[in-house]
Short mmCIF file of all heavy atoms in Angstrom, two decimals:
data_model
loop_
_atom_site.label_atom_id
_atom_site.label_comp_id
_atom_site.label_asym_id
_atom_site.label_seq_id
_atom_site.Cartn_x
_atom_site.Cartn_y
_atom_site.Cartn_z
N THR A 1 52.81 62.50 59.11
CA THR A 1 53.75 61.60 59.77
C THR A 1 53.13 60.22 59.99
O THR A 1 51.99 60.12 60.41
CB THR A 1 54.16 62.18 61.15
OG1 THR A 1 54.56 63.53 60.98
CG2 THR A 1 55.30 61.39 61.76
N LYS A 2 53.91 59.20 59.73
CA LYS A 2 53.51 57.82 60.03
C LYS A 2 54.13 57.43 61.36
O LYS A 2 55.24 57.83 61.69
CB LYS A 2 53.99 56.86 58.94
CG LYS A 2 53.46 57.18 57.56
CD LYS A 2 52.00 56.88 57.45
CE LYS A 2 51.50 57.16 56.05
NZ LYS A 2 50.07 57.33 56.02
N ASN A 3 53.40 56.64 62.12
CA ASN A 3 53.87 56.09 63.39
C ASN A 3 54.32 57.15 64.39
O ASN A 3 55.41 57.07 64.95
CB ASN A 3 54.99 55.07 63.17
CG ASN A 3 54.47 53.82 62.50
OD1 ASN A 3 53.38 53.36 62.79
ND2 ASN A 3 55.25 53.28 61.60
N LYS A 4 53.50 58.14 64.61
CA LYS A 4 53.75 59.09 65.70
C LYS A 4 53.55 58.34 67.00
O LYS A 4 52.58 57.62 67.17
CB LYS A 4 52.74 60.24 65.66
CG LYS A 4 53.05 61.33 64.72
CD LYS A 4 52.02 62.42 64.92
CE LYS A 4 52.50 63.72 64.37
NZ LYS A 4 51.54 64.80 64.55
N LYS A 5 54.47 58.53 67.93
CA LYS A 5 54.37 57.85 69.22
C LYS A 5 54.32 58.87 70.33
O LYS A 5 55.11 59.81 70.34
CB LYS A 5 55.55 56.91 69.45
CG LYS A 5 55.50 55.66 68.64
CD LYS A 5 56.59 54.71 69.04
CE LYS A 5 56.50 53.47 68.17
NZ LYS A 5 57.46 52.46 68.56
N GLN A 6 53.40 58.65 71.25
CA GLN A 6 53.30 59.50 72.43
C GLN A 6 53.09 58.61 73.64
O GLN A 6 52.29 57.67 73.59
CB GLN A 6 52.12 60.47 72.31
CG GLN A 6 52.30 61.54 71.27
CD GLN A 6 51.07 62.42 71.21
OE1 GLN A 6 50.18 62.16 70.42
NE2 GLN A 6 51.02 63.44 72.05
N ASN A 7 53.83 58.88 74.70
CA ASN A 7 53.64 58.18 75.96
C ASN A 7 52.86 59.07 76.90
O ASN A 7 53.12 60.27 76.98
CB ASN A 7 54.98 57.83 76.60
CG ASN A 7 55.57 56.58 76.03
OD1 ASN A 7 55.11 56.05 75.03
ND2 ASN A 7 56.62 56.08 76.66
N PHE A 8 51.91 58.46 77.59
CA PHE A 8 51.10 59.19 78.56
C PHE A 8 51.21 58.48 79.91
O PHE A 8 50.89 57.30 80.01
CB PHE A 8 49.63 59.24 78.14
CG PHE A 8 49.40 60.03 76.90
CD1 PHE A 8 49.30 59.41 75.67
CD2 PHE A 8 49.28 61.41 76.95
CE1 PHE A 8 49.07 60.14 74.52
CE2 PHE A 8 49.06 62.15 75.80
CZ PHE A 8 48.97 61.51 74.58
N ARG A 9 51.69 59.20 80.89
CA ARG A 9 51.67 58.72 82.27
C ARG A 9 50.76 59.68 83.03
O ARG A 9 51.07 60.87 83.18
CB ARG A 9 53.07 58.72 82.89
CG ARG A 9 53.04 58.24 84.33
CD ARG A 9 54.37 58.41 85.02
NE ARG A 9 54.21 58.30 86.44
CZ ARG A 9 54.71 57.33 87.18
NH1 ARG A 9 55.43 56.39 86.62
NH2 ARG A 9 54.50 57.30 88.48
N LEU A 10 49.64 59.16 83.48
CA LEU A 10 48.62 59.98 84.11
C LEU A 10 48.48 59.56 85.57
O LEU A 10 48.01 58.46 85.88
CB LEU A 10 47.29 59.82 83.37
CG LEU A 10 47.36 60.10 81.86
CD1 LEU A 10 46.07 59.72 81.19
CD2 LEU A 10 47.72 61.54 81.60
N ASP A 11 48.92 60.44 86.45
CA ASP A 11 48.89 60.18 87.89
C ASP A 11 47.55 60.61 88.47
O ASP A 11 47.07 61.72 88.20
CB ASP A 11 50.01 60.94 88.59
CG ASP A 11 51.38 60.44 88.19
OD1 ASP A 11 51.64 59.24 88.40
OD2 ASP A 11 52.19 61.24 87.69
N PHE A 12 46.99 59.76 89.30
CA PHE A 12 45.71 60.10 89.94
C PHE A 12 45.88 61.23 90.95
O PHE A 12 44.94 61.96 91.22
CB PHE A 12 45.10 58.86 90.60
CG PHE A 12 44.68 57.82 89.60
CD1 PHE A 12 45.31 56.59 89.55
CD2 PHE A 12 43.68 58.08 88.68
CE1 PHE A 12 44.94 55.64 88.62
CE2 PHE A 12 43.30 57.14 87.74
CZ PHE A 12 43.93 55.91 87.71
N LYS A 13 47.07 61.42 91.46
CA LYS A 13 47.30 62.52 92.42
C LYS A 13 47.15 63.89 91.74
O LYS A 13 46.92 64.88 92.42
CB LYS A 13 48.67 62.39 93.07
CG LYS A 13 49.83 62.66 92.16
CD LYS A 13 51.13 62.59 92.95
CE LYS A 13 52.32 62.64 92.20
NZ LYS A 13 52.97 63.08 91.28
N ASP A 14 47.24 63.93 90.41
CA ASP A 14 47.09 65.21 89.71
C ASP A 14 45.68 65.77 89.79
O ASP A 14 45.47 66.96 89.62
CB ASP A 14 47.50 65.06 88.24
CG ASP A 14 48.99 64.83 88.07
OD1 ASP A 14 49.75 65.10 89.02
OD2 ASP A 14 49.39 64.36 87.00
N ILE A 15 44.71 64.90 90.02
CA ILE A 15 43.33 65.38 90.15
C ILE A 15 42.87 65.32 91.60
O ILE A 15 41.71 65.57 91.90
CB ILE A 15 42.37 64.60 89.24
CG1 ILE A 15 42.42 63.11 89.54
CG2 ILE A 15 42.66 64.88 87.79
CD1 ILE A 15 41.34 62.33 88.83
N GLU A 16 43.79 65.02 92.49
CA GLU A 16 43.49 64.96 93.92
C GLU A 16 43.06 66.34 94.42
O GLU A 16 43.63 67.36 94.07
CB GLU A 16 44.75 64.51 94.66
CG GLU A 16 44.64 64.43 96.14
CD GLU A 16 45.95 63.99 96.77
OE1 GLU A 16 46.99 64.02 96.09
OE2 GLU A 16 45.92 63.65 97.94
N GLY A 17 42.05 66.35 95.23
CA GLY A 17 41.62 67.59 95.86
C GLY A 17 40.67 68.41 95.01
O GLY A 17 40.20 69.46 95.46
N LEU A 18 40.38 67.96 93.79
CA LEU A 18 39.40 68.70 92.99
C LEU A 18 38.01 68.41 93.55
O LEU A 18 37.67 67.28 93.83
CB LEU A 18 39.47 68.28 91.52
CG LEU A 18 40.79 68.60 90.81
CD1 LEU A 18 40.75 68.07 89.39
CD2 LEU A 18 41.03 70.09 90.80
N GLY A 19 37.23 69.42 93.71
CA GLY A 19 35.93 69.25 94.34
C GLY A 19 34.78 69.50 93.40
O GLY A 19 34.93 69.71 92.21
N LYS A 20 33.63 69.51 94.00
CA LYS A 20 32.37 69.73 93.28
C LYS A 20 31.94 71.17 93.49
O LYS A 20 31.90 71.65 94.63
CB LYS A 20 31.34 68.76 93.83
CG LYS A 20 29.97 68.90 93.25
CD LYS A 20 29.05 67.87 93.89
CE LYS A 20 27.63 68.11 93.48
NZ LYS A 20 26.72 67.18 94.15
N LEU A 21 31.63 71.86 92.42
CA LEU A 21 31.14 73.24 92.52
C LEU A 21 29.62 73.24 92.67
O LEU A 21 28.92 72.52 91.98
CB LEU A 21 31.52 74.03 91.26
CG LEU A 21 33.00 74.27 91.02
CD1 LEU A 21 33.20 74.95 89.69
CD2 LEU A 21 33.58 75.12 92.13
N THR A 22 29.16 74.06 93.59
CA THR A 22 27.72 74.20 93.76
C THR A 22 27.38 75.67 93.68
O THR A 22 27.83 76.44 94.53
CB THR A 22 27.28 73.64 95.13
OG1 THR A 22 27.72 72.28 95.22
CG2 THR A 22 25.78 73.69 95.29
N PRO A 23 26.65 76.11 92.72
CA PRO A 23 26.11 75.35 91.61
C PRO A 23 27.20 75.00 90.59
O PRO A 23 28.24 75.64 90.54
CB PRO A 23 25.08 76.31 90.99
CG PRO A 23 25.56 77.66 91.35
CD PRO A 23 26.26 77.52 92.68
N PRO A 24 26.95 73.98 89.76
CA PRO A 24 27.94 73.57 88.76
C PRO A 24 28.28 74.69 87.77
O PRO A 24 27.51 75.63 87.60
CB PRO A 24 27.25 72.41 88.03
CG PRO A 24 26.21 71.93 88.99
CD PRO A 24 25.78 73.14 89.76
N GLU A 25 29.41 74.55 87.13
CA GLU A 25 29.88 75.61 86.23
C GLU A 25 29.40 75.46 84.79
O GLU A 25 29.52 76.38 84.01
CB GLU A 25 31.40 75.67 86.25
CG GLU A 25 32.05 74.40 85.76
CD GLU A 25 33.55 74.39 85.94
OE1 GLU A 25 34.05 74.93 86.91
OE2 GLU A 25 34.21 73.82 85.07
N THR A 26 28.86 74.32 84.42
CA THR A 26 28.42 74.12 83.04
C THR A 26 26.91 74.28 82.93
O THR A 26 26.19 74.14 83.93
CB THR A 26 28.81 72.72 82.52
OG1 THR A 26 28.12 71.75 83.30
CG2 THR A 26 30.32 72.50 82.59
N TYR A 27 26.44 74.51 81.72
CA TYR A 27 25.01 74.68 81.52
C TYR A 27 24.25 73.40 81.84
O TYR A 27 23.20 73.42 82.47
CB TYR A 27 24.71 75.12 80.08
CG TYR A 27 25.19 76.51 79.79
CD1 TYR A 27 26.17 76.75 78.85
CD2 TYR A 27 24.66 77.60 80.47
CE1 TYR A 27 26.62 78.03 78.59
CE2 TYR A 27 25.09 78.88 80.23
CZ TYR A 27 26.08 79.09 79.28
OH TYR A 27 26.52 80.35 79.04
N ILE A 28 24.79 72.27 81.41
CA ILE A 28 24.13 70.99 81.68
C ILE A 28 24.09 70.75 83.19
O ILE A 28 23.07 70.32 83.73
CB ILE A 28 24.86 69.84 80.96
CG1 ILE A 28 24.81 70.03 79.43
CG2 ILE A 28 24.31 68.48 81.36
CD1 ILE A 28 23.42 69.97 78.85
N GLY A 29 25.18 71.04 83.87
CA GLY A 29 25.21 70.89 85.32
C GLY A 29 24.22 71.82 86.00
O GLY A 29 23.58 71.45 86.99
N MET A 30 24.09 73.04 85.49
CA MET A 30 23.14 74.00 86.06
C MET A 30 21.70 73.51 85.88
O MET A 30 20.88 73.67 86.79
CB MET A 30 23.31 75.37 85.41
CG MET A 30 24.53 76.11 85.88
SD MET A 30 24.42 76.56 87.60
CE MET A 30 23.40 78.01 87.48
N ILE A 31 21.40 72.92 84.76
CA ILE A 31 20.04 72.41 84.53
C ILE A 31 19.72 71.33 85.57
O ILE A 31 18.67 71.35 86.20
CB ILE A 31 19.90 71.86 83.09
CG1 ILE A 31 19.96 73.01 82.08
CG2 ILE A 31 18.61 71.06 82.93
CD1 ILE A 31 20.07 72.56 80.64
N SER A 32 20.65 70.40 85.75
CA SER A 32 20.46 69.34 86.72
C SER A 32 20.31 69.92 88.13
O SER A 32 19.43 69.50 88.90
CB SER A 32 21.65 68.38 86.66
OG SER A 32 21.57 67.45 87.69
N TYR A 33 21.14 70.87 88.45
CA TYR A 33 21.11 71.51 89.78
C TYR A 33 19.76 72.19 90.02
O TYR A 33 19.13 72.03 91.07
CB TYR A 33 22.26 72.51 89.88
CG TYR A 33 22.29 73.31 91.15
CD1 TYR A 33 22.74 72.76 92.34
CD2 TYR A 33 21.89 74.65 91.15
CE1 TYR A 33 22.77 73.51 93.51
CE2 TYR A 33 21.92 75.40 92.31
CZ TYR A 33 22.36 74.82 93.49
OH TYR A 33 22.39 75.56 94.63
N ARG A 34 19.30 72.97 89.04
CA ARG A 34 18.03 73.68 89.19
C ARG A 34 16.83 72.72 89.23
O ARG A 34 15.88 72.93 89.98
CB ARG A 34 17.84 74.70 88.05
CG ARG A 34 18.89 75.78 88.03
CD ARG A 34 18.77 76.67 89.23
NE ARG A 34 19.82 77.69 89.20
CZ ARG A 34 20.25 78.33 90.25
NH1 ARG A 34 19.72 78.10 91.42
NH2 ARG A 34 21.21 79.22 90.14
N LEU A 35 16.87 71.67 88.44
CA LEU A 35 15.79 70.68 88.47
C LEU A 35 15.71 70.00 89.83
O LEU A 35 14.62 69.72 90.34
CB LEU A 35 15.98 69.64 87.36
CG LEU A 35 15.66 70.10 85.94
CD1 LEU A 35 16.03 69.02 84.93
CD2 LEU A 35 14.19 70.47 85.81
N GLU A 36 16.87 69.74 90.40
CA GLU A 36 16.90 69.14 91.73
C GLU A 36 16.27 70.07 92.77
O GLU A 36 15.51 69.63 93.63
CB GLU A 36 18.35 68.82 92.10
CG GLU A 36 18.51 68.02 93.37
CD GLU A 36 19.96 67.66 93.63
OE1 GLU A 36 20.64 67.18 92.71
OE2 GLU A 36 20.41 67.89 94.78
N LYS A 37 16.57 71.36 92.66
CA LYS A 37 15.97 72.34 93.59
C LYS A 37 14.45 72.40 93.40
O LYS A 37 13.69 72.46 94.37
CB LYS A 37 16.59 73.72 93.39
CG LYS A 37 17.99 73.82 93.95
CD LYS A 37 18.43 75.27 93.86
CE LYS A 37 19.27 75.66 94.99
NZ LYS A 37 18.78 76.06 96.22
N ILE A 38 14.00 72.40 92.15
CA ILE A 38 12.55 72.43 91.86
C ILE A 38 11.89 71.18 92.43
O ILE A 38 10.80 71.25 93.02
CB ILE A 38 12.30 72.56 90.34
CG1 ILE A 38 12.75 73.95 89.86
CG2 ILE A 38 10.85 72.30 90.00
CD1 ILE A 38 12.79 74.09 88.36
#
């Protein structure tokens, strides 16, 4: 398809209330978390 069009309206309230997991859920986050503890 040529000229596919998509509109995106992204409200900041949709990510409202999302917090930080301790320890983080990703491997990279876990490495940082463990290094900080060390």
Side-chain angles (χ1 to χ4, degrees):
T1 309
K2 301 289 182 200
N3 291 322
K4 277 185 161 180
K5 286 187 181 184
Q6 291 179 268
N7 277 11
F8 294 97
R9 179 188 164 114
L10 306 171
D11 294 302
F12 293 114
K13 70 176 172 39
D14 291 342
I15 58 171
E16 179 181 14
L18 296 177
K20 177 180 172 184
L21 294 175
T22 304
E25 62 187 35
T26 64
Y27 292 116
I28 298 296
M30 285 294 280
I31 291 170
S32 173
Y33 176 77
R34 297 294 178 202
L35 285 174
E36 188 176 311
K37 285 187 145 277
I38 292 169

